[in-house]
Structure formats: structure tokens, C-alpha cells
Amino acid sequence: MIELHPSWLKYLSGEFEKAYMNDIKAFLETEIATWKTIYPHPKNIFNALNTTHFDDVEVVIIGQDPYHGPGQAHGLSFSVQDWVRFPPSLKNIFKEVQADTWASIPETWNLTRWANQWVLLLNAVLTVEASTPTSHWNIWWQTFTDEIIKVISKEKTQVVFLLWWAYAQSKKELIDTSKHFVLEAPHPSPFSAHRWFLWCKHFSKTNEILRKQNRKEIEW
């Protein structure tokens, strides 16, 4: 049984009746039955949606797929669980947060506190095999997550989308930019962060947008 918050089920329940979702389920069951380790834990696959409810979404950050190391992934893009060593991309994200907003770098790099402030931390692909990045890239997850983006675009207004790499930026075609805000930058990984992710000021720009809409700013 899918445990998904009712605010999302209102728009996405039909997706779980489609063939592609049954194919995803069958694939994951087979992988687990053959003793492959899958991240995140099944209870956290839809953690982004269950933490940030549809009605609360103010900001969307689109990631690629979950971290593939032990104890890292928990269903929120770019986030790691408490007291896990920070990945390089997340380190660069907090470098930019600190430079942009003067916020202190936290001791734990779990981004649940962002998700609780209306930031939907959505990966394009929701599962991965341990130690094998992008291993679930072609199992139809993107059909589901594209639908999430479409629903947000259609049903909400004035959401800020942060698109931090070429693939995330390809999702711009799913977003009605006449009623939403889109900020684009390179990926925060060490391979591309120096090409303008650092100094992009997306965190202060997001808060400026929210402030102008008389909405509460994010405490990054």
C-alpha cells in the first residue's frame, strides 16, 4: 500500500494505477529479492512528498537521483541523514548559503528543516542501487516526477523553481513561467560549482521573491 499524504494523492492517485508504476514496483521487488541494496529505505521513497505537502509548496529544488552510499539518502534531494559525512555537492550548497545569506553552516546537513519550510526537495529518480549512481535512471521514475512538476505548475501559482543543472533545466518546459519563477545555475558538484553555482545567490533571490509576494522567507 502506498503511503502518500492525501494532499498529493488528490492529484497523483491515478498515477499509481498506471502500468509504469506497476513496472517500477515489480522491478524494485525483484532487486530486493536478489539481495541488492536499494536506497533510500522503502519507507522514505516518497519522503519529499510526505514532508512537504502539496498545499505548502513554495519552492522546488530538483535533484538527480539519491545518494548511493550507506546511510546517506532519505528521500530528499541533496540531503543526507543526521551526522552522515557531507557529500561534496551539499558542501558547495552550504558554501553558497553562507556566502549569500551569512547563515551559519549547521552541524548536521539533513535538509528536513528546509522541507518543513515549504521547500520540496524532489529527485527526478527516487531510488538507486547501492554504490551504483544512476542505476535506476531508466525505470520510469521520471514519468512520475514529471507529473509532480506538471501538477505543481498547473494547480499552484508563484512557486520558485531552482534548477541547478542541465537535466533539471530541461524540466523548465513543464513549468508555466508566466505564473511561476525559475532560477537556473550549474550543478553544485565540484566539477561545475565554480561555473557560477557559487555566487548564483539563489537563496537570497528566492527569499526576495517570497518577500515581494508577502510570504514568509526560508531560513536556509
Side-chain angles (χ1 to χ4, degrees):
M1 181 178 178
I2 300 298
E3 294 186 3
L4 195 63
H5 190 268
S7 67
W8 288 105
L9 276 177
K10 176 181 177 180
Y11 300 102
L12 299 173
S13 60
E15 298 302 301
F16 292 95
E17 300 172 2
K18 294 181 179 178
Y20 82 85
M21 191 60 78
N22 289 327
D23 290 341
I24 292 174
K25 180 181 178 182
F27 173 85
L28 294 176
E29 288 176 344
T30 299
E31 294 290 280
I32 293 170
T34 55
W35 301 102
K36 291 183 178 179
T37 300
I38 305 300
Y39 297 129
H41 187 282
K43 70 179 182 180
N44 285 328
I45 289 175
F46 299 111
N47 191 23
L49 302 178
N50 287 328
T51 304
T52 310
H53 304 159
F54 176 82
D55 296 335
D56 298 331
V57 174
E58 301 276 7
V59 180
V60 179
I61 300 178
I62 299 175
Q64 182 171 306
D65 62 342
Y67 296 120
H68 53 88
Q72 293 179 312
H74 62 127
L76 304 179
S77 64
F78 293 104
S79 180
V80 292
Q81 298 187 73
D82 288 330
W83 314 119
V84 173
R85 180 177 174 81
F86 51 80
S89 293
L90 188 53
K91 183 177 181 179
N92 282 331
I93 287 171
F94 273 107
K95 279 184 179 179
E96 178 58 18
V97 168
Q98 185 178 47
D100 185 23
T101 70
W102 298 89
S104 299
I105 295 179
E107 293 184 2
T108 175
W109 297 38
N110 184 329
L111 301 183
T112 298
R113 61 192 182 83
W114 289 10
N116 286 332
Q117 294 180 85
W118 326 286
V119 181
L120 179 65
L121 297 167
L122 179 68
N123 276 319
V125 175
L126 300 186
T127 57
V128 69
E129 182 182 345
S131 303
T132 315
T134 72
S135 51
H136 293 180
W137 196 250
N138 295 316
I139 68 162
W140 313 283
W141 273 129
Q142 294 164 80
T143 302
F144 179 67
T145 55
D146 280 359
E147 187 62 25
I148 293 171
I149 297 169
K150 291 176 187 176
V151 164
I152 294 170
S153 178
K154 179 182 178 181
E155 302 294 337
K156 298 183 73 72
T157 59
Q158 301 177 336
V159 173
V160 184
F161 290 84
L162 304 185
L163 309 182
W164 287 345
W165 52 304
Y167 180 79
Q169 289 157 17
S170 73
K171 303 301 181 181
K172 188 175 179 179
E173 66 182 27
L174 307 177
I175 302 165
D176 183 348
T177 56
S178 70
K179 63 174 184 172
H180 297 289
F181 304 92
V182 175
L183 301 179
E184 300 176 70
H187 196 280
S189 80
F191 300 106
S192 57
H194 63 284
R195 293 188 223 141
W196 191 65
F197 176 80
L198 298 174
W199 310 289
C200 71
K201 297 186 178 295
H202 277 190
F203 303 100
S204 62
K205 288 178 180 178
T206 295
N207 277 347
E208 181 180 2
I209 291 169
L210 295 174
R211 186 167 58 251
K212 287 181 177 178
Q213 303 299 325
N214 295 316
R215 291 180 286 166
K216 190 173 181 180
E217 299 176 30
I218 308 300
E219 294 182 10
W220 301 108

